[in-house]
Amino acid sequence: MSNNDIVQKLWNLCDVLRDDGINYSDYVTELVLLLFIKMEHENAQSGVMSGHKLPEGARWPDIAKLSGLNLLNHYRATLLSLSQSTDPLISAIYADAQTRLKEPRHLEQLIKSIDGIDWFSAQRDGLGDLYEGLLEKNATETKSGAGQYFTPRPLIDCIVELIAPKPGETVQDPAAGTAGFLIAADAYIKARTDNLYNLNEKQREFQRNKAFIGMELVPGTRRLALMNCLLHGMEGDAEGVIHLGNTLGSAGSNLPKSGIILSNPPFGTAKGGGGPTRDDFTHSTSNKQLAFVQHIYRHLKDGGRAAVVLPDNVLFEAGVGADIRRDLMDKCNLHTILRLPTGIFYAQGVKTNVLFFDKVSQHASGGTNEVWVYDLRSNMPRFGKRTPLTRNHFAKFEAAFTGQRIDQGEDGRFRCFSRDWIRDRADSLDIAWLKDDNAEDAADLPEPAVLAQEAMGELEGALAELKAILAELGEVEE
């Protein structure tokens, strides 16, 4: 069986959960509480994990041998005991975990179905990859909640390949989600070190416990991320690889400076008092992506590398948006922008980019001298289930990124723009030149919230320019 076949079998178990009155959005949460116990057992049996992480009485054979009400009661008690475990990682994974299953027969059916899966085939590709596949399946099927901005695996792999993390470097994701970027970075290093065997024991210890750190605001998402990391052999510190907290609050300011930062921050404007409360930001803004950009370039070590996924409005928003872009280009070498195709995220019409930049040493002069822009958006197919995004779609960009950089002119996809040219455009980085023959129709329009945010950015920019004119005329104070 292929990994995709097993993922589909697991996804089909959601029908059992539906029969027990469990909501569509809660399928994966309910399923993974049970599935993780099975995967932990398989990993411990095969030696992928150094012994069992779960205590006796809470392991798969302890659950699978029971039936009826005894099974349901034991499972409920198991989840409670795991949430109170003295192991901080296990207690974090199972914090507030409780099953919503009411019928013992449904739990029995889930256990028998999971036991019936070809786990030998699953082990071949790695249980962590199987789990990652289930999370991606959830994102593509539900099209709601955090799933709408699930970062596609081909894009993550492309970014990690170009950033090229090395053993001994710290890798951070301040908006970790289910830890896709961190797991891909770990896999990249393992593939080049014979699964860490080429490293000495001290280096292996660093890679397993200190090399990766993320922060996630939503407890349920963090649970999925911790399970995902553990199944990939990434244990992290006492809190695990992914810490629970608000990166735009005091918890974020305590994150360590890192050699590499990879992230796809949540889109939108903070609402209901949920805006940034950091006192170490130079520029105050309610735009979450702009706030995350500040965190990223402030938390990069000198010489550190970053890649961050951002929507179009961050590239052109005036006022504080321009101030933050200017600060970024002064403190870092913003060397490359990748304009991504529309439709690769599950919120229809969202237009995004990847910004690649390096932190300039405080002892060095300069920053950004030129920005290379690769347009992978114009004249591209409409991606979706019929035309899935693949790694091959990034092949020419990767070649241009790593090879000798040549400006391809107005008919090409890769062009270079000087810092002076960008400065003359009010530091806007929303740079496009190719005529897109794929005319947009109403179905391709962005979400109303995205359109409103873009309009607000343009209005704020116009207002700032009018104030500047009045200030020059002496009519108002600047």
Side-chain angles (χ1 to χ4, degrees):
M1 292 180 70
S2 71
N3 204 320
N4 288 339
D5 293 333
I6 299 173
V7 167
Q8 186 59 52
K9 276 184 171 290
L10 289 170
W11 188 252
N12 290 342
L13 295 180
C14 294
D15 292 335
V16 179
L17 298 171
R18 187 189 297 114
D19 289 342
D20 212 323
I22 293 172
N23 293 332
Y24 195 76
S25 60
D26 295 329
Y27 285 170
V28 168
T29 300
E30 184 72 47
L31 184 58
V32 298
L33 290 175
L34 186 63
L35 188 60
F36 180 76
I37 298 174
K38 173 63 173 178
M39 288 182 161
E40 189 273 349
H41 172 74
E42 295 294 331
N43 268 348
Q45 293 293 105
S46 63
V48 173
M49 285 181 175
S50 53
H52 281 282
K53 302 299 177 187
L54 298 177
E56 289 187 18
R59 297 172 187 168
W60 186 257
D62 303 318
I63 293 171
K65 68 183 181 182
L66 300 175
S67 62
L69 198 56
N70 287 338
L71 167 62
L72 185 57
N73 288 338
H74 178 81
Y75 182 54
R76 287 171 175 163
T78 296
L79 295 180
L80 179 61
S81 68
L82 291 175
S83 71
Q84 299 170 345
S85 172
T86 56
D87 183 321
L89 183 53
I90 295 302
S91 63
I93 286 175
Y94 281 92
D96 302 317
Q98 49 186 306
T99 181
R100 296 174 62 184
L101 287 165
K102 297 181 280 296
E103 293 283 346
R105 61 188 174 89
H106 289 148
L107 181 55
E108 281 188 54
Q109 190 176 347
L110 286 174
I111 290 170
K112 287 178 181 176
S113 297
I114 290 173
D115 257 340
I117 286 172
D118 180 3
W119 290 97
F120 179 79
S121 294
Q123 281 284 5
R124 182 185 59 218
D125 292 326
L127 297 183
D129 289 344
L130 171 59
Y131 185 85
E132 182 81 2
L134 182 62
L135 297 181
E136 185 167 10
K137 181 75 172 176
N138 178 51
T140 58
E141 293 292 331
T142 58
K143 292 186 174 62
S144 63
Q148 63 183 337
Y149 299 124
F150 187 93
T151 313
R153 171 59 58 184
L155 174 58
I156 289 178
D157 289 341
C158 166
I159 289 172
V160 169
E161 178 78 25
L162 297 178
I163 291 293
K166 299 177 181 63
E169 291 188 302
T170 51
V171 184
Q172 179 186 143
D173 184 349
T178 54
F181 272 117
L182 299 180
I183 286 165
D186 176 62
Y188 179 92
I189 292 171
K190 285 176 176 173
R192 286 155 181 80
T193 59
D194 191 18
N195 203 29
L196 306 183
Y197 286 113
N198 293 342
L199 307 180
N200 61 42
E201 187 54 41
K202 185 177 180 181
Q203 291 171 322
R204 281 196 290 272
E205 176 73 12
F206 176 85
Q207 289 305 127
R208 292 193 184 107
N209 300 319
K210 297 179 182 178
F212 305 97
I213 185 168
M215 183 160 280
E216 173 55 41
L217 178 63
V218 181
T221 304
R222 185 210 180 200
R223 184 202 312 281
L224 300 178
L226 289 173
M227 289 181 176
N228 205 4
C229 288
L230 195 56
L231 289 170
H232 280 89
M234 303 162 61
E235 297 192 20
D237 59 19
E239 294 184 57
V241 175
I242 312 300
H243 293 199
L244 183 65
N246 182 6
T247 300
L248 303 184
S250 59
S253 60
N254 293 326
L255 283 170
K257 288 198 172 185
S258 302
I260 295 173
I261 299 182
L262 309 171
S263 195
N264 177 10
F267 297 2
T269 302
K271 302 178 182 67
T277 58
R278 296 273 289 268
D279 57 10
D280 61 334
F281 283 172
T282 307
H283 305 285
S284 177
T285 175
S286 62
N287 181 305
K288 288 186 284 190
Q289 300 86 31
L290 286 171
F292 270 102
V293 168
Q294 288 189 87
H295 167 86
I296 291 168
Y297 67 73
R298 292 178 70 93
H299 278 255
L300 271 181
K301 292 179 179 179
D302 286 352
R305 313 184 297 290
V308 54
V309 180
L310 295 167
D312 274 12
N313 70 283
V314 172
L315 302 190
F316 65 72
E317 186 170 311
V320 70
D323 292 337
I324 291 172
R325 290 193 299 273
R326 193 175 303 117
D327 199 28
L328 166 65
M329 287 186 280
D330 288 344
K331 291 183 169 68
C332 302
N333 176 21
L334 173 61
H335 53 83
T336 311
I337 296 175
L338 170 62
R339 288 167 57 83
L340 290 169
T342 55
I344 65 172
F345 290 95
Y346 304 115
Q348 186 69 22
V350 171
K351 295 179 179 179
T352 53
N353 314 267
V354 185
L355 272 61
F356 295 86
F357 52 90
D358 303 335
K359 183 71 170 286
V360 177
S361 170
Q362 293 179 0
H363 305 292
S365 60
T368 302
N369 293 318
E370 59 186 24
V371 178
W372 287 80
V373 182
Y374 194 98
D375 187 346
L376 196 63
R377 182 182 305 170
S378 302
N379 304 311
M380 291 295 288
R382 183 177 300 175
F383 292 101
K385 285 190 175 182
R386 291 185 179 180
T387 310
L389 182 74
T390 68
R391 180 69 183 280
N392 192 51
H393 287 110
F394 296 99
K396 291 183 179 179
F397 165 64
E398 291 180 29
F401 186 103
T402 57
Q404 182 180 1
R405 297 195 168 198
I406 300 173
D407 191 318
Q408 298 175 357
E410 293 186 358
D411 295 328
R413 290 194 180 272
F414 203 32
R415 298 199 64 193
C416 181
F417 300 88
S418 71
R419 178 72 182 90
D420 289 338
W421 184 87
I422 293 168
R423 188 180 290 110
D424 291 342
R425 298 176 73 251
D427 290 306
S428 172
L429 294 169
D430 187 29
I431 302 169
W433 62 92
L434 286 175
K435 181 180 181 298
D436 193 347
D437 296 328
N438 298 329
E440 290 186 335
D441 56 32
D444 290 324
L445 287 174
E447 297 284 310
V450 175
L451 285 171
Q453 190 174 8
E454 290 181 357
M456 282 177 59
E458 292 176 1
L459 289 170
E460 287 172 359
L463 185 60
E465 290 176 8
L466 288 171
K467 284 182 177 179
I469 292 170
L470 289 172
E472 288 180 10
L473 295 172
E475 297 295 324
V476 295
E477 293 182 5
E478 190 163 3

